[in-house]
DNA sequence: GCGGCTTAGTCAAGCGGCTC
DNA sequence: GAGCCGCTTGACTAAGCCGC
């Protein structure tokens, strides 16, 4: 696709046909309704109503949707981005919090106007981009976020940052307040909780989906952190949902 | 960098519920 | 009651973490 000269913002829907491509401009994708599956070099995720996604230029990505959906998409020309954006070669997924909701509201009101230039949208994007830059996550943490359901070695993570494993552990703890192992576990626990609460998958299947080969590992993880087994957790969460 | 301790992952055995 | 399935528990091993 050709580069663009101005920011273009519009509501878009995505079909169920998988589409793989890249483009010379960046994209900011904010959720409106439904969900969208996105796969990049670093991410493979379902973009729902709780996260937004930034796609840097030249980032090959695949997307498709299985249900009705709508997203606010901003096409951003290259000259508006700083060079650091290149580090985000696989994109960046960010929690869609109240601040982003406010930004989305303003952007939506701006794209509703027919305007000769896109000054207001440009300024809004500049503000959003400054937040986005603060959200820049180190490459190894991006890798964990995208691949926590697979086996991840400390050596691999250390290599991504160019550190040796011992120093990497110290560096990681300084940045996140926990060890790499603990961070991976917290992601797995969170995902397992969602699957237990919202699906009828067996404990074994859930364990395998979050990165364990055996369900015993998931049982122990739950006993350590939740003081109950996965099955009891599922019962409790469904009882709460009924009330 | 090393050594010891801790923890995660795996395996195997066993328990309980369900079906025939 | 036997067989199957899903799940839990205990023991062992290897990797990771931490203090020196």
């Amino acid at each position: 696709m050709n580069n663009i000269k101005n920011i273009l913002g519009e509501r878009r829907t995505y079909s169920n046909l998988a589409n793989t491509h890249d483009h010379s401009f960046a994209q900011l994708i904010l959720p409106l309704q439904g969900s969208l599956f996105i796969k990049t070099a670093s991410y493979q995720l379902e973009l729902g109503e709780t996260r937004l996604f930034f796609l840097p230029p030249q980032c090959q990505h695949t997307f498709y949707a299985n249900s009705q959906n709508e997203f606010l998409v901003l096409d951003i020309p290259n000259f508006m981005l700083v060079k650091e954006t290149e580090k985000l070669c696989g994109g960046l997924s960010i929690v869609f919090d109240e601040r982003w909701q406010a930004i989305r509201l303003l952007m939506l009101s701006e794209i509703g106007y027919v305007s000769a230039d896109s000054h207001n949208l440009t300024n809004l994007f500049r503000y959003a981009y400054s937040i986005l830059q603060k959200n820049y996550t180190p490459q190894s943490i991006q890798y964990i976020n995208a691949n926590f359901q697979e086996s991840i070695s400390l050596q691999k993570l250390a290599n991504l940052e160019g550190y040796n494993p011992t120093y990497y552990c110290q560096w990681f703890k300084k940045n996140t307040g926990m060890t790499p192992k603990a961070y991976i576990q917290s992601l797995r626990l969170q995902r397992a909780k969602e699957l237990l609460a919202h699906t009828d998958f067996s404990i074994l299947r859930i364990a395998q989906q979050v990165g364990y080969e055996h369900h015993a590992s998931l049982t122990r993880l739950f006993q350590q952190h939740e003081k109950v087994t996965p099955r009891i957790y599922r019962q409790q969460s469904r009882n709460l949902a009924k009330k």
Side-chain angles (χ1 to χ4, degrees):
Chain A
M1 286 191 194
N2 295 330
N3 202 359
I4 52 176
K5 291 179 180 174
N6 290 311
I7 279 196
L8 171 68
E10 63 179 14
R11 291 164 176 263
R12 286 182 200 164
T13 57
Y14 293 88
S15 76
N16 59 358
L17 296 174
N19 184 338
T20 303
H21 64 267
D22 59 31
H23 29 70
S24 56
F25 52 87
Q27 272 186 335
L28 186 64
I29 305 169
L30 298 108
L32 291 170
Q33 61 162 313
S35 63
L36 168 69
F37 291 90
I38 295 185
K39 186 180 176 187
T40 68
S42 306
Y43 284 94
Q44 184 168 354
L45 56 82
E46 183 179 3
L47 188 64
E49 289 167 29
T50 58
R51 300 194 80 82
L52 63 113
F53 201 81
F54 177 75
L55 265 173
Q58 324 294 354
C59 172
Q60 188 170 70
H61 55 284
T62 302
F63 59 76
Y64 64 92
N66 282 337
S67 56
Q68 193 178 1
N69 65 84
E70 190 175 29
F71 290 82
L72 170 61
V73 182
L74 264 64
D75 294 338
I76 303 133
N78 244 339
F79 69 85
M80 292 189 66
L81 308 170
V82 297
K83 201 156 175 61
E84 275 68 31
T85 302
E86 288 169 8
K87 291 180 190 171
L88 309 172
C89 50
L92 180 59
S93 171
I94 301 170
V95 173
F96 190 68
D97 58 16
E98 288 176 358
R99 181 164 54 174
W100 280 102
Q101 286 174 24
I103 293 168
R104 179 183 65 182
L105 193 64
L106 291 167
M107 286 175 169
L108 281 172
S109 71
E110 285 306 319
I111 65 168
Y113 290 104
V114 178
S115 171
D117 61 34
S118 53
H119 263 53
N120 291 342
L121 199 54
T122 300
N123 288 333
L124 273 171
F125 171 72
R126 284 196 176 121
Y127 174 64
Y129 191 48
S130 69
I131 297 171
L132 206 138
Q133 284 176 280
K134 285 176 196 160
N135 269 281
Y136 167 62
T137 312
Q139 214 174 352
S140 64
I141 296 180
Q142 282 187 56
Y143 182 83
I144 294 171
N145 290 341
N147 298 284
F148 68 85
Q149 65 275 35
E150 291 165 21
S151 173
I152 300 173
S153 70
L154 191 63
Q155 185 68 54
K156 163 89 181 171
L157 297 173
N159 286 347
L160 283 170
E161 301 296 345
Y163 302 142
N164 73 52
T166 305
Y167 177 73
Y168 176 76
C169 275
Q170 294 167 357
W171 171 87
F172 191 97
K173 200 164 184 176
K174 191 178 154 192
N175 278 283
T176 66
M178 60 178 90
T179 64
K181 207 81 194 173
Y183 182 75
I184 293 167
Q185 272 193 348
S186 69
L187 293 179
R188 287 176 171 174
L189 183 65
Q190 195 54 46
R191 179 68 181 144
K193 282 180 177 179
E194 289 170 16
L195 291 171
L196 283 166
H198 303 300
T199 73
D200 288 323
F201 295 165
S202 69
I203 307 296
L204 174 61
R205 186 171 173 188
I206 290 172
Q208 288 170 340
Q209 285 210 359
V210 301
Y212 294 118
E213 196 166 326
H214 295 269
H215 42 330
S217 302
L218 185 65
T219 298
R220 184 163 40 194
L221 184 71
F222 262 80
Q223 284 175 330
Q224 277 176 355
H225 294 272
E226 301 298 320
K227 312 296 178 202
V228 292
T229 63
R231 196 164 57 141
I232 302 294
Y233 179 86
R234 173 175 269 164
Q235 286 169 357
Q236 289 176 350
S237 67
R238 297 206 170 162
N239 289 341
L240 275 176
K242 280 180 190 169
K243 285 178 185 175

